[in-house]
Amino acid sequence: MGLEEVKDKGRKLIQRCAPERRQRGSLLENALVQLRAEDMLRNLPPDELATYGDAPEQQAEGVALALCLTWVSRLLFLKLLEGQLRRYHAPGPEQPFRFLDPAQLKEYDLLNRLFYRILNRPAPEREEPEATLYPHVPYLNSSLFEPSALERLTLRISGLDDMIPLPLLSKGKASRSVLRQEAGGPAPSALTYLLRFLDAYDFASEGSEAVQDDDRPLISAAVLGLIFEKISGYRDGSFYTPGFITMYMCRHTLRRAVVRHFNERYGWHVEAVADLRERLDDDLKKRPEFSAAFNELRVLDPAVGSGHFLVSALNELLAIKSELGLLLDDEGKRLRYRLTVARDELAVTSDEDDTLFEYRATWDAATQTRRVGRDHTRLQSALFREKRHLIEHCLYGVDLNPNSVRICRLRLWIELLKHAYYTPESSYRELETLPNLDLNVRAGNSLISRYPLQADLTEVFRRKDFSLAAYRRAVGGFFSARGREAKQELQDYLQRLKDQFRTDIQRHDPLLKKISRAREDLLRVELDQKPDLFGKSRLTEEDGWARRTTLQLNLDKLEAERQQREQGALYRDAFEWRFEFPEVLSPDGSFRGFDAVLGNPPYIRQEELAPQLKPYLKTHYETSAGTADLYVYFYELGLRLLAPGGELSFITNNKWLRAGYGQALRRYLLQPTLRLQELLDFGDLPVFPEATTYPNILSVQKSPQAATVRVAELTTLGSDLTRFPEVVQAAAADMPTARLSEEAWSLAAPQVQALLEKLRSAGTPLGEYVGGKIYSGIKTGSNEAFVIDAATKDALIAEDPNAAEFIKPFLAGRDIKRYQMPKADKYLIYVPWTFKLDLYPSIKTHLFKHYEILSNRSEVLSGRFAWFALSRYASEYVKDFKKPKIIYQEIATYQSFAYDISGLFSNNKTFIIPEGDHFLLGVMNSSPAWFFINQVASKMAGGAIAMQAPTLTQLPIPAATAEQQAPIVALVKQVLAAKAAAPTANTQPLEQQIDALVAALYGLTPEEVALLAV
């Protein structure tokens, strides 16, 4: 493809190959050449082009990648189809069903014909010579094999240059390619390379018990999902959620959702799936009704990625339906087969002998006919029908990345393909066609909508042509529409309906009402300035001008807001949930919501968010916090989108449990209308093999708060991931919900929780104790420019003695040691934003050497401060650096609170507390304090913990009289003196005495003191 995997800041990213490794024959480079040569990007509307990037090079690369993903997706799907057809007809000859033959497909134009003249045309409509060349390739009716909108405007695969050689991948003497090339032989063309590469893998053995007859690696849909996830998230570094996690989340969430769904629908009170099966068996005649009721469940992934969660949800729903005895054939009779999920794949076994079901067909070359057993057709058609209905009507996904959306649809098509069958009505010549999935997996920004979920749509649905029933019929018709004309007609109808939605909502839009009132007020002022019949005006000219000016400014502001909402870049990808998914609307058109919301929301740090997005999030989300990462908002969105009683289950980073920015989210989750179901904290376990991500799983139900929540702090994943639920069961316990507050959450054992509460109640929070005076160190913006050694310091002062005033001894986090008075061997050129650079020539000369780096800082480019200034210079507390102070590291692996009386400055990886308080230093270095900090702070790799101000401010400082403080102060001074004399001095006996005195101030018992070491 022309892509490579690289490591970047601990993440594995997939990106365009570095210039020295680019190959002209690769798909990406070939496409880029064609796009540039014919200036094809000009064909794209500016708004659409902007979605691919800001710079022309980035846009070209983005368009080329989107095209390549489309082409490769089709090829991978066809390779799976080819393998499926070969497997269906085993043990017969394979060659008739091998249509991706490198010897036959030597040019991209031939591949283009296969896409558009065979796969998207019914057999009777195919023309020669293609019809004869591909007699066994089925008509699929899938939009996957229609030219995409991007292809229509830019480049199709037939436009690529043919016969460009693509050397086999190698590194030194050892070949890294799965292919082999004869010594001295020519490199294959890119297309031949690609097809031979796909042939090197086995696409035909998935789901089969047969032994492979060669040593080719097996490619399954799950493996493809991992590949797709990496490629589609190549810029941001997506993490593919492992199968054991998606299985666990889907199994528990969906089983509860199914039970809840039947209880609500029929007024029952069963508690588990097994109980529900017994209740359903009481009325066997209603099985078709119960089966239809099951299919009314609605499941959403609002950041769908490659669709892994939806695939896992599909498999789990089928397994539950089978377990309930609701898996029926076309005649409504129960199928005597059992569906189970193992290793993230669906297995179909016979109730009678546990044999694995494998669909088989027999092709008679002499008569050109195909035979399929009746039982095989009965089961395979039922499985296909059930999968299709669940995919069309129960599973929904949204993603901002259009590439991800296309790949998600592809994965769902692949799941359907696994149970494709030859239809009896075609005399077993044609496979059942695939549905169009354009409507339930959509591209858009889940977090942004122009119109509220509860906007009134009743007026729209009163119209005969636009009734909710008609809307749903049109959506249902689109799934099965055959041919471009039928699809286009339905798409036009759906677009007219959405336009009508917008028109009706705008009539009641508060913003438009404000604009209307503002215009009326402006008109009224103009009328009040005009003289009446007696020549008098209600407003003088001066008053009228003042009123008009004020009103016009207000109107301009409102109009700008309207224009931004309707045309601005922020709303370009806005997603209107009620417009797009009619299945989640109630009969009156109000938003009902989803029964389950599942997923792994994107982990994007707040500093990486688009500037125009932050104000929107602040005004539209209760969980907003200035430093909140993006996944926080997905929690609130997901809970809003739930139907009453519905359940959300997300796997995200666990920082929200303890970080300051998670406080609003923690408060939100503790609403009386939300029930915390389960919270699993994985710490630094390798859930995602590619990175340490500190994940947690949170399940929340939209129902009244419960007295307890099931929690677990996991210390292992187990040796066998298929038994992961047992690991959770062993570690989990019920914790009283009352123990949780908007402060940091701890999932520790009950006795540990009780000790935490005792510590809290015995003291004053550190933030309050020091009057909020906990300050971050200096952020330079470029250590290379501002941090210097002693020799450079001496040279700058020698050249200009006045520079000495602005050169300060400077500490880094690594310089901070427990109970030691730190010493600096580096210096900071302290340049505040108000600095007069021209008055200090030696500093000016030095900084000018780093002009390029300094001037390209984002805040310099935006005009916030001058190129030569520090990024943050502690303007409000710089004098506090000169005071006696406690100083500590932002990220620490051990308790290292130091004491400075030398007026040292420190970097932004440290914090200072400007208090010459030896008692406070003793408390902060004590074992009770370290225990508390470990429980409330966010954990990091290697046992490190995050000690930012929001965490440390919670540390309770015990109340103590002067007499109680005195012995602690004396001991702290002895420790400081000993460390000053010899940094390696053994002060353990003194520190143990401090621990005991501090523990006594907290009122701890011997048993509680013993817990401090846990």
Side-chain angles (χ1 to χ4, degrees):
M1 285 187 68
L3 301 174
E4 63 182 357
E5 186 174 73
V6 298
K7 284 188 176 181
D8 177 64
K9 299 178 181 178
R11 301 182 300 179
K12 287 185 178 179
L13 305 182
I14 290 183
Q15 61 186 29
R16 185 182 179 188
C17 289
E20 65 273 14
R21 288 187 293 277
R22 290 174 188 168
Q23 296 287 346
R24 172 67 176 79
S26 69
L27 288 178
L28 186 65
E29 299 304 324
N30 199 338
L32 281 168
V33 168
Q34 306 308 319
L35 291 171
R36 294 186 186 117
E38 299 184 35
D39 202 11
M40 293 179 180
L41 296 187
R42 287 186 179 274
N43 299 333
L44 294 174
D47 286 350
E48 182 179 349
L49 191 58
T51 63
Y52 293 99
D54 298 323
E57 180 66 21
Q58 191 179 22
Q59 291 168 348
E61 186 179 321
V63 170
L65 179 70
L67 291 168
C68 292
L69 280 173
T70 299
W71 302 329
V72 171
S73 297
R74 288 174 183 154
L75 277 172
L76 290 173
F77 182 86
L78 291 179
K79 199 64 186 175
L80 285 168
L81 174 62
E82 183 185 72
Q84 184 105 326
L85 295 179
R86 290 160 55 200
R87 184 166 68 250
Y88 280 178
H89 296 85
E94 291 188 350
Q95 193 58 36
F97 308 101
R98 178 172 160 77
F99 54 85
L100 289 181
D101 187 349
Q104 185 171 325
L105 291 169
K106 294 187 175 182
E107 298 178 3
Y108 290 114
D109 186 56
L110 297 176
L111 198 57
N112 198 68
R113 294 181 193 179
L114 178 62
F115 290 164
Y116 303 132
R117 300 186 189 181
I118 296 294
L119 289 154
N120 73 346
R121 286 193 187 183
E125 299 177 14
R126 294 174 182 173
E127 299 171 352
E128 295 296 347
E130 290 80 18
T132 301
L133 287 172
Y134 304 105
H136 296 289
V137 178
Y139 166 58
L140 296 179
N141 188 43
S142 164
S143 57
L144 180 64
F145 294 102
E146 291 180 359
S148 68
L150 185 61
E151 285 177 299
R152 293 179 190 276
L153 291 173
T154 56
L155 180 68
R156 302 192 191 191
I157 198 167
S158 56
L160 296 178
D161 285 339
D162 295 309
M163 310 311 291
I164 300 178
L166 189 62
L168 300 189
L169 187 63
S170 62
K171 184 177 182 180
K173 296 180 181 179
S175 172
R176 295 161 61 199
S177 176
V178 297
L179 304 182
R180 294 293 177 264
Q181 182 176 328
E182 293 182 9
S189 69
L191 180 56
T192 299
Y193 187 132
L194 179 57
L195 295 177
R196 283 180 56 200
F197 176 83
L198 294 178
D199 269 348
Y201 295 88
D202 180 9
F203 288 81
S205 297
E206 184 181 11
S208 173
E209 291 185 315
V211 177
Q212 290 175 248
D213 59 2
D214 55 31
D215 59 356
R216 291 181 300 163
L218 173 65
I219 290 291
S220 67
V223 172
L224 291 180
L226 172 59
I227 297 167
F228 290 148
E229 190 88 24
K230 283 188 172 186
I231 295 175
S232 66
Y234 81 112
R235 281 201 183 98
D236 301 319
S238 295
F239 296 119
Y240 182 74
T241 312
F244 78 95
I245 293 292
T246 62
M247 286 172 60
Y248 179 87
M249 293 170 65
C250 289
R251 178 175 176 80
H252 290 268
T253 302
L254 295 178
R255 291 173 79 85
R256 286 191 291 261
V258 168
V259 170
R260 192 164 52 244
H261 178 67
F262 276 92
N263 282 341
E264 291 173 0
R265 184 178 177 86
Y266 293 101
W268 298 339
H269 300 284
V270 298
E271 294 185 359
V273 168
D275 304 326
L276 180 58
R277 170 64 188 261
E278 292 181 9
R279 186 68 183 81
L280 295 174
D281 283 348
D282 290 342
D283 196 344
L284 298 180
K285 292 182 179 179
K286 281 191 170 184
R287 268 184 178 155
E289 177 189 327
F290 294 149
S291 180
F294 185 101
N295 291 343
E296 293 173 357
L297 282 164
R298 304 292 178 254
V299 179
L300 168 73
D301 184 344
V304 75
S306 71
H308 192 185
F309 271 96
L310 291 190
V311 170
S312 288
L314 173 65
N315 290 338
E316 187 59 41
L317 287 172
L318 287 164
I320 297 170
K321 198 166 190 181
S322 169
E323 189 175 341
L324 293 174
L326 298 179
L327 196 64
L328 312 178
D329 66 11
D330 292 338
E331 297 176 359
K333 296 178 181 178
R334 190 174 82 83
L335 294 166
R336 302 294 177 179
Y337 288 85
R338 184 172 63 257
L339 274 59
T340 55
V341 182
R343 299 186 184 278
D344 207 21
E345 295 286 345
L346 189 70
V348 183
T349 54
S350 170
D351 279 351
E352 297 177 359
D353 55 12
D354 275 348
T355 56
L356 188 68
F357 170 74
E358 296 183 60
Y359 180 75
R360 286 291 180 264
T362 303
W363 174 251
D364 188 330
T367 62
Q368 294 289 294
T369 58
R370 180 179 286 107
R371 297 191 308 275
V372 182
R374 182 177 179 277
D375 288 343
H376 277 231
T377 297
R378 176 174 176 256
L379 177 56
Q380 191 80 341
S381 63
L383 292 173
F384 185 90
R385 186 192 67 248
E386 290 287 356
K387 273 192 170 184
R388 175 172 179 161
H389 189 95
L390 291 173
I391 289 172
E392 289 179 351
H393 301 288
C394 301
L395 302 178
Y396 298 86
V398 181
D399 202 284
L400 182 59
N401 186 345
N403 292 335
S404 295
V405 169
R406 286 188 283 269
I407 287 169
C408 176
R409 292 172 186 160
L410 175 66
R411 286 214 64 194
L412 293 173
W413 277 317
I414 289 172
E415 292 305 310
L416 262 180
L417 180 66
K418 292 177 183 179
H419 290 101
Y421 65 99
Y422 288 101
T423 61
E425 55 268 26
S426 70
S427 299
Y428 302 106
R429 289 183 174 276
E430 297 180 11
L431 281 181
E432 180 62 47
T433 56
L434 300 177
N436 302 297
L437 300 180
D438 298 39
L439 297 187
N440 57 342
V441 182
R442 308 300 301 263
N445 190 332
S446 296
L447 294 172
I448 295 178
S449 297
R450 290 183 175 89
Y451 311 111
L453 283 175
Q454 302 309 323
D456 189 1
L457 291 179
T458 53
E459 290 184 24
V460 180
F461 290 128
R462 287 197 190 106
R463 294 179 173 84
K464 183 178 180 180
D465 291 344
F466 293 143
S467 67
L468 181 57
Y471 187 10
R472 287 178 173 167
R473 280 196 304 272
V475 170
F478 182 82
F479 285 122
S480 55
R482 293 169 69 103
R484 298 174 192 169
E485 294 78 10
K487 294 176 188 177
Q488 190 59 52
E489 185 177 342
L490 285 166
Q491 283 181 323
D492 291 344
Y493 170 82
L494 292 170
Q495 188 57 52
R496 289 198 305 274
L497 183 57
K498 291 175 187 178
D499 291 342
Q500 191 62 50
F501 285 165
R502 292 185 177 90
T503 300
D504 276 59
I505 287 177
Q506 286 174 355
R507 289 182 188 149
H508 306 285
D509 188 348
L511 176 60
L512 295 182
K513 287 182 177 179
K514 287 180 182 178
I515 291 174
S516 179
R517 285 196 296 270
R519 287 173 176 163
E520 291 172 2
D521 291 344
L522 191 59
L523 179 60
R524 192 175 298 112
V525 169
E526 292 175 357
L527 293 175
D528 286 348
Q529 279 189 272
K530 293 182 179 180
D532 58 17
L533 294 174
F534 302 99
K536 293 185 177 180
S537 302
R538 292 188 180 184
L539 290 175
T540 65
E541 184 175 346
E542 185 176 345
D543 288 343
W545 178 87
R547 288 284 305 279
R548 274 199 325 276
T549 302
T550 301
L551 290 171
Q552 188 64 53
L553 288 172
N554 180 53
L555 178 59
D556 292 344
K557 180 181 177 182
L558 293 172
E559 288 284 8
E561 184 179 347
R562 179 191 62 78
Q563 186 173 7
Q564 171 66 21
R565 190 177 70 179
E566 294 178 2
Q567 303 174 10
L570 176 66
Y571 288 91
R572 180 174 54 219
D573 300 309
F575 194 80
E576 309 304 332
W577 294 92
R578 298 169 72 195
F579 295 6
E580 306 297 349
F581 299 145
E583 301 275 6
V584 294
L585 300 182
S586 298
D588 63 356
S590 60
F591 184 78
R592 172 188 171 273
F594 296 90
D595 298 288
V597 176
L598 298 155
N600 178 4
Y603 178 45
I604 299 177
R605 296 170 62 86
Q606 59 85 22
E607 56 264 30
E608 299 172 13
L609 299 179
Q612 66 268 30
L613 178 60
K614 294 181 181 180
Y616 178 92
L617 296 174
K618 184 176 181 180
T619 56
H620 288 78
Y621 287 86
E622 294 178 42
T623 52
S624 172
T627 56
D629 296 334
L630 194 67
Y631 68 82
V632 166
Y633 304 99
F634 274 91
Y635 274 115
E636 183 175 342
L637 171 76
L639 292 168
R640 286 187 203 168
L641 294 173
L642 286 175
E647 185 172 324
L648 171 145
S649 185
F650 277 170
I651 181 169
T652 67
N653 182 277
N654 69 6
K655 281 188 178 180
W656 68 270
L657 290 170
R658 302 173 181 88
Y661 72 67
Q663 185 174 48
L665 174 58
R666 296 191 291 268
R667 186 188 311 124
Y668 189 88
L669 292 170
L670 291 173
Q671 294 178 82
T673 55
L674 295 178
R675 173 178 181 168
L676 298 176
Q677 192 79 37
E678 183 177 68
L679 178 54
L680 310 179
D681 188 358
F682 292 85
D684 60 359
L685 291 174
V687 174
F688 297 90
E690 296 177 348
T692 304
T693 54
Y694 310 98
N696 77 103
I697 293 175
L698 174 67
S699 298
V700 187
Q701 191 178 333
K702 199 170 187 177
S703 60
Q705 190 179 87
T708 61
V709 54
R710 186 171 186 254
V711 302
E713 281 190 307
L714 299 174
T715 57
T716 179
L717 298 176
S719 57
D720 181 359
L721 293 179
T722 63
R723 306 184 69 176
F724 174 70
E726 298 174 28
V727 173
V728 175
Q729 184 64 33
D734 288 339
M735 185 178 76
T737 307
R739 285 187 179 171
L740 300 174
S741 71
E742 63 182 53
E743 301 302 328
W745 287 8
S746 171
L747 310 186
Q751 63 269 30
V752 174
Q753 293 275 8
L755 178 53
L756 269 177
E757 290 306 312
K758 184 170 184 176
L759 292 172
R760 276 197 174 100
S761 61
T764 302
L766 176 63
E768 183 180 335
Y769 185 89
V770 299
K773 295 180 179 179
I774 302 178
Y775 302 129
S776 174
I778 305 292
K779 180 180 179 181
T780 66
S782 172
N783 286 346
E784 182 182 350
F786 293 107
V787 181
I788 58 177
D789 57 19
T792 305
K793 175 206 71 167
D794 293 341
L796 293 177
I797 294 173
E799 181 181 342
D800 176 16
N802 292 328
E805 181 185 354
F806 292 94
I807 299 179
K808 312 291 183 182
F810 196 54
L811 300 171
R814 62 179 177 273
D815 300 320
I816 310 304
K817 310 295 182 185
R818 177 183 171 89
Y819 275 127
Q820 293 188 23
M821 295 186 183
K823 294 180 173 57
D825 60 0
K826 299 291 182 183
Y827 296 85
L828 171 72
I829 302 177
Y830 181 75
V831 183
W833 293 1
T834 55
F835 189 72
K836 306 296 184 184
L837 184 63
D838 290 336
L839 299 181
Y840 302 91
S842 66
I843 291 178
K844 181 177 181 179
T845 300
H846 172 82
L847 292 180
F848 203 79
K849 296 175 184 176
H850 306 279
Y851 176 80
E852 185 173 349
I853 294 174
L854 295 176
S855 62
N856 280 301
R857 289 177 289 172
S858 59
E859 290 174 301
V860 172
L861 294 173
S862 67
R864 189 170 186 190
F865 51 79
W867 68 268
F868 52 80
L870 292 162
S871 290
R872 296 292 181 273
Y873 67 102
S875 60
E876 297 180 1
Y877 54 89
V878 63
K879 294 180 180 178
D880 289 316
F881 280 101
K882 301 175 182 177
K883 299 176 181 178
K885 58 185 176 289
I886 295 171
I887 185 168
Y888 65 92
Q889 298 168 319
E890 178 188 33
I891 306 297
T893 54
Y894 69 101
Q895 208 167 0
S896 56
F897 295 94
Y899 191 68
D900 172 49
I901 57 174
S902 303
L904 304 178
F905 281 52
S906 60
N907 71 9
N908 62 322
K909 300 303 179 183
T910 66
F911 285 87
I912 66 168
I913 302 175
E915 296 282 341
D917 188 337
H918 291 87
F919 168 72
L920 179 59
L921 179 63
V923 170
M924 295 183 74
N925 271 325
S926 71
S927 55
W930 190 237
F931 168 84
F932 183 91
I933 292 168
N934 262 287
Q935 295 300 319
V936 302
S938 297
K939 304 297 189 296
M940 305 186 74
I945 60 175
M947 307 252 285
Q948 288 93 347
T951 298
L952 264 291
T953 54
Q954 302 174 49
L955 176 65
I957 307 303
T961 64
E963 290 76 13
Q964 291 171 315
Q965 290 187 22
I968 294 175
V969 170
L971 288 166
V972 168
K973 289 182 177 179
Q974 290 181 57
V975 174
L976 289 172
K979 292 292 186 182
T984 59
N986 180 14
T987 57
Q988 277 297 106
L990 297 173
E991 294 182 43
Q992 289 171 356
Q993 293 180 58
I994 295 172
D995 289 344
L997 290 170
V998 173
L1001 291 178
Y1002 284 114
L1004 302 187
T1005 66
E1007 294 77 15
E1008 289 168 334
V1009 169
L1011 279 176
L1012 297 178
V1014 174

